[in-house]
Amino acid sequence: MSNPTSNPSRNLNGKVAIVTGSSKGIGAGIAERLARDGASVVVNYARSEKEAAAVVARITAAGGKAVAVQADISRAEQIQPLVDATLRHFGRLDILVNNAGIYQLDSLDTITADSIARHFDLNVRGLTLMTQAAARVLPAGGVIVNISSGVAKSPSAQAHIYCATKGAVDILTRTFGAELGPRNIRVVGIAPGFVATDGNADSSEAYAAYFVPKTPLGRVGQPADIAAAVSFAVSGDAAWVTGCTIDVAGGLVF
Ligand SMILES: NC(=O)c1ccc[n+]([C@@H]2O[C@H](COP(=O)([O-])OP(=O)(O)OC[C@H]3O[C@@H](n4cnc5c(N)ncnc54)[C@H](OP(=O)(O)O)[C@@H]3O)[C@@H](O)[C@H]2O)c1
């Protein structure tokens, strides 16, 4: 019997990846890393066309292949067109990285029906419908990566709804992994600790002051730290990894 771990590879030549929400932050880092590994990458964005074009320009300047495709993942009707555009541009789909997500602080007092809907529409419903659309065309060997958060396992009373969405993401990583395993499609969660990104730039100093002392490795995470873990998760090195979520957090317990 052949050993599936005997030929590990980080070589993504010929593979095609969608990274949702990759005009900025962690998603941009993941898109650039997968392109550097050899994949053709669809840089998805909702609003930031210029930033998405800049990510594509950096990838192509480095010799990679990428295209920017607009689709608001929180809107169900915009999801299939993203997969269709990927097939039109690159002819196949091998890797989906469900990265697009929003986070807002809240308290029981400030939660609104609208804030619940906005978080769940993107972080949970969007991730689910993207996975459904991708799974319909992924071949054996395909990989789905869900970007979770450390708050799924150690939630904070300062962001009830965000934490709840990431808890749901971890459950979906397990259930999708179970359903897709027999097709040899893996589903892997990556749970970042605090990472300095565009999304938290306004308060990054305050966050750093709070999180760094709690982080055994003693620094703020960078998008490249998370991208390196995604590179592993989609590679042959992770051939026996599915249905679970890997902490990439410098040891931080939130
Ligand atoms: N930063 C952290 O410390 C941290 C920690 C743990 C987990 N995470 C998770 O990591 C992921 C990325 O976080 P980040 O800090 O990199 O975020 P970010 O800097 O705010 O960037 C968010 C990205 O998602 C896109 N996006 C937002 N809404 C979208 C939608 N409806 N449809 C498609 N794309 C959308 C944005 O594009 P547009 O501007 O074009 O809308 C942008 O490219 C999220 O899932 C987050 O929960 C982050």
Side-chain angles (χ1 to χ4, degrees):
M1 194 168 114
S2 72
N3 175 355
T5 62
S6 63
N7 187 22
S9 169
R10 295 283 176 94
N11 182 346
L12 300 181
N13 288 337
K15 306 277 188 196
V16 175
I18 297 174
V19 184
T20 67
S22 51
S23 57
K24 296 178 189 166
I26 291 172
I30 295 168
E32 290 182 56
R33 173 63 196 249
L34 296 186
R36 183 147 59 81
D37 288 346
S40 300
V41 179
V42 171
V43 174
N44 160 249
Y45 66 98
R47 289 158 289 266
S48 303
E49 186 177 4
K50 254 204 272 174
E51 287 84 350
V55 174
V56 170
R58 287 201 294 277
I59 289 172
T60 47
K65 287 195 202 115
V67 64
V69 177
Q70 195 278 338
D72 182 337
I73 305 300
S74 71
R75 299 188 52 186
E77 74 279 8
Q78 297 194 16
I79 283 174
Q80 187 60 45
L82 173 58
V83 175
D84 294 342
T86 302
L87 299 179
R88 243 188 349 266
H89 281 290
F90 294 125
R92 57 185 291 134
L93 177 64
D94 302 279
I95 296 163
L96 167 65
V97 182
N98 283 311
N99 165 78
I102 52 166
Y103 39 92
Q104 269 176 4
L105 297 182
D106 61 24
S107 68
L108 263 179
D109 235 19
T110 60
I111 290 168
T112 62
D114 182 58
S115 70
I116 297 170
R118 279 187 294 108
H119 278 87
F120 274 89
D121 284 357
L122 179 59
N123 299 8
V124 180
R125 190 183 68 179
L127 174 145
T128 302
L129 295 177
M130 264 316 299
T131 300
Q132 179 187 59
R136 288 182 174 141
V137 296
L138 283 173
V143 188
I144 296 163
V145 175
N146 292 332
I147 301 301
S148 176
S149 167
V151 301
K153 277 194 280 186
S154 49
S156 152
Q158 292 173 5
H160 299 278
I161 300 305
Y162 174 63
C163 295
T165 64
K166 293 301 186 178
V169 167
D170 284 2
I171 295 293
L172 292 169
T173 296
R174 283 210 166 277
T175 59
F176 294 154
E179 178 165 341
L180 295 173
R183 287 175 52 196
N184 192 26
I185 293 171
R186 296 184 299 104
V187 184
V188 183
I190 298 291
F194 176 63
V195 180
T197 64
D198 305 272
N200 53 43
D202 284 354
S203 26
S204 64
E205 276 182 30
Y207 280 129
Y210 178 75
F211 284 121
V212 171
K214 294 174 183 287
T215 303
L217 289 182
R219 66 171 173 83
V220 161
Q222 299 297 325
D225 294 315
I226 309 309
V230 174
S231 169
F232 162 73
V234 304
S235 75
D237 287 348
W240 194 233
V241 181
T242 197
C244 63
T245 297
I246 302 168
D247 291 336
V248 183
L252 169 67
V253 177
F254 277 78

